[in-house]
Amino acid sequence: MNISRLMRSPLQPTDALRACLAWTFSLWVACCGASSSALADDRQFKSENAKPEEIFRHSCAVCHGERGNGQGRASNNLNPRPRDFTQSSNLTREAMINAVTYGRPGTAMMSWTRKYSPQQIEGVVDYIRGRFMLVALDPHIETGRAVYGHFCQVCHGDRGQGVKSAADTPRDWTVPKVIMNFTRERMIAAVAQGKHGATVSAGFSDKLSADQMSASVDYIRRVLLPALAERDQDKSPPTAAQPASPSPQQNAPLPAAKSASAQADMSLPLPKGLVGDIKRGEKFFMGNCATCHGKLGNGEGPRAFFLNPSPRNFHDAYSHTNLNRPTLFSVITTGKPGTVMPAWGKVLSEQEIANVAEFVFQTFVQAKN
């Protein structure tokens, strides 16, 4: 007879219950530790007078992250993981207000009605939608992000912090005093004309349409640099005086840019009369390219997290309107300076490159989102 089994009380927790209690306790410890700074100054935090941004940082960022991407300090201990607002294009305002008001069963999302008024809940929801969900909700900002990632991120970084290089390091836009005089018009002119003495001095007016340039600037102002977004919303003048003697280049008229509807001819064939073999192109892509670009071509391969700039997302707005067959063939052949994209022309034949270009074009670029 197993005496130990008889002595075991039926009220004693089972192994599964012990594991559940241990997980709950570890989750509580993780959340408390992650938000300890917020709890420490809770007396100084006046919820009744708090602004939406303060509410988000105090009560939401520990799970949803300072950038609203679901990567807060407690997120690794949560299942399901917190919402990534930057990828939530189908999330309505009403659904968000309901979630903040009543919580979400089966998740760590609690009800906030005891701490915040209905007006404050609506305010923080509108803050999240205007601060973190712009790319998902606004096609203009989505285009801007795609243009920024393709042309600007390699030098200016994923947050506008500037990427150090031997030749020239762009200014760190995250420093408030650097952006005091950044008007929208001045930024668009810089994109179009380039800036004397900078690494890129020629500008992009011959590569981008007026709409693409303005979209990239609006993405920078509204997503990367919240201080500028707040200033634009308030419509208040900069706190610092404009430069006393701007350079002649800054006062020069904006060069004629391509029309807003300008885009690459997506019907062009591969160069040199080549015809790509999709099956062979797929085999090479999955074995060599997917590690960065991802098997779905969305730029989220296993190496993508470690790369700056991020690998190309073939599903974004820029790709759908500019990456035609000749462009893909050229980039695959020569690579992309300043990134980890190699020049495959040194190891592949033109036919093999055509195969990959055709696979990417038909499978990802022409795919309907």
Side-chain angles (χ1 to χ4, degrees), residues 52-364:
E53 181 179 2
E54 296 171 336
I55 293 175
F56 180 86
R57 290 179 177 175
H58 185 271
S59 302
C60 313
V62 64
C63 294
H64 292 286
E66 294 288 343
R67 302 174 70 180
N69 56 4
Q71 298 181 16
R73 289 166 290 175
S75 63
N76 290 334
N77 300 288
L78 301 178
N79 185 18
R81 293 181 64 86
R83 170 79 66 175
D84 178 359
F85 295 119
T86 66
Q87 303 292 331
S88 302
S89 59
N90 296 324
L91 192 59
T92 66
R93 182 175 185 270
E94 291 72 20
M96 294 175 68
I97 292 174
N98 186 72
V100 179
T101 302
Y102 302 107
R104 293 189 65 202
T107 75
M109 183 64 191
M110 57 179 283
S111 168
W112 291 96
T113 52
R114 292 187 178 183
K115 191 174 184 68
Y116 301 116
S117 69
Q119 293 75 22
Q120 288 176 310
I121 289 176
E122 290 185 14
V124 75
V125 166
D126 289 336
Y127 170 77
I128 292 170
R129 293 179 70 82
R131 177 71 182 90
F132 307 117
M133 296 175 63
L134 278 174
V135 174
L137 297 174
D138 189 339
H140 179 70
I141 302 300
E142 181 186 12
T143 296
R145 180 178 68 172
V147 172
Y148 183 88
H150 189 80
F151 292 100
C152 316
Q153 187 176 340
V154 63
C155 293
H156 291 288
D158 61 338
R159 295 179 292 106
Q161 77 276 21
V163 177
K164 293 183 179 180
S165 65
D168 187 14
T169 300
R171 285 185 294 178
D172 184 353
W173 293 341
T174 63
V175 178
K177 65 180 182 180
V178 172
I179 61 173
M180 281 184 175
N181 298 314
F182 276 19
T183 65
R184 184 174 183 272
E185 293 73 19
R186 179 180 176 183
M187 293 176 68
I188 291 176
V191 174
Q193 301 169 351
K195 184 176 180 182
H196 182 69
T199 304
V200 179
S201 58
F204 295 95
S205 60
D206 61 334
K207 300 180 179 68
L208 300 174
S209 70
D211 181 68
Q212 288 171 330
M213 288 188 288
S214 66
S216 66
V217 167
D218 289 338
Y219 168 74
I220 294 169
R221 295 181 72 85
R222 297 178 66 183
V223 178
L224 299 187
L225 306 179
L228 291 181
E230 292 174 6
R231 196 171 74 190
D232 291 344
Q233 185 176 9
D234 295 338
K235 296 182 180 179
S236 57
T239 55
Q242 296 292 335
S245 55
S247 66
Q249 186 178 9
Q250 291 177 348
N251 282 335
L254 189 68
K258 295 184 289 185
S259 65
S261 61
Q263 63 179 41
D265 184 352
M266 305 303 283
S267 65
L268 291 177
L270 287 163
K272 304 182 180 181
L274 294 166
V275 177
D277 185 316
I278 296 180
K279 292 294 183 182
R280 293 183 178 180
E282 178 182 15
K283 182 177 180 180
F284 184 88
F285 182 92
M286 294 303 174
N288 297 275
C289 314
T291 183
C292 293
H293 293 287
K295 292 183 178 181
L296 300 178
N298 56 5
E300 298 181 5
R303 289 188 60 201
F305 180 80
F306 305 98
L307 303 179
N308 185 15
S310 302
R312 162 59 56 192
N313 174 8
F314 297 116
H315 297 282
D316 63 26
Y318 179 86
S319 298
H320 285 314
T321 56
N322 290 272
L323 295 188
N324 57 15
R325 290 180 174 91
T327 300
L328 288 168
F329 184 88
S330 175
V331 173
I332 296 171
T333 301
T334 62
K336 189 175 180 183
T339 75
V340 298
M341 178 65 188
W344 287 103
K346 297 181 179 180
V347 294
L348 298 180
S349 67
E350 291 184 339
Q351 181 58 57
E352 289 172 322
I353 293 174
N355 296 340
V356 178
E358 188 66 25
F359 167 74
V360 171
F361 181 77
Q362 289 200 33
T363 308
F364 304 134

Side-chain angles (χ1 to χ4, degrees), residues 13-27:
T14 62
D15 292 341
L17 182 57
R18 284 198 193 94
C20 180
L21 291 173
W23 178 86
T24 303
F25 179 74
S26 65
L27 173 60

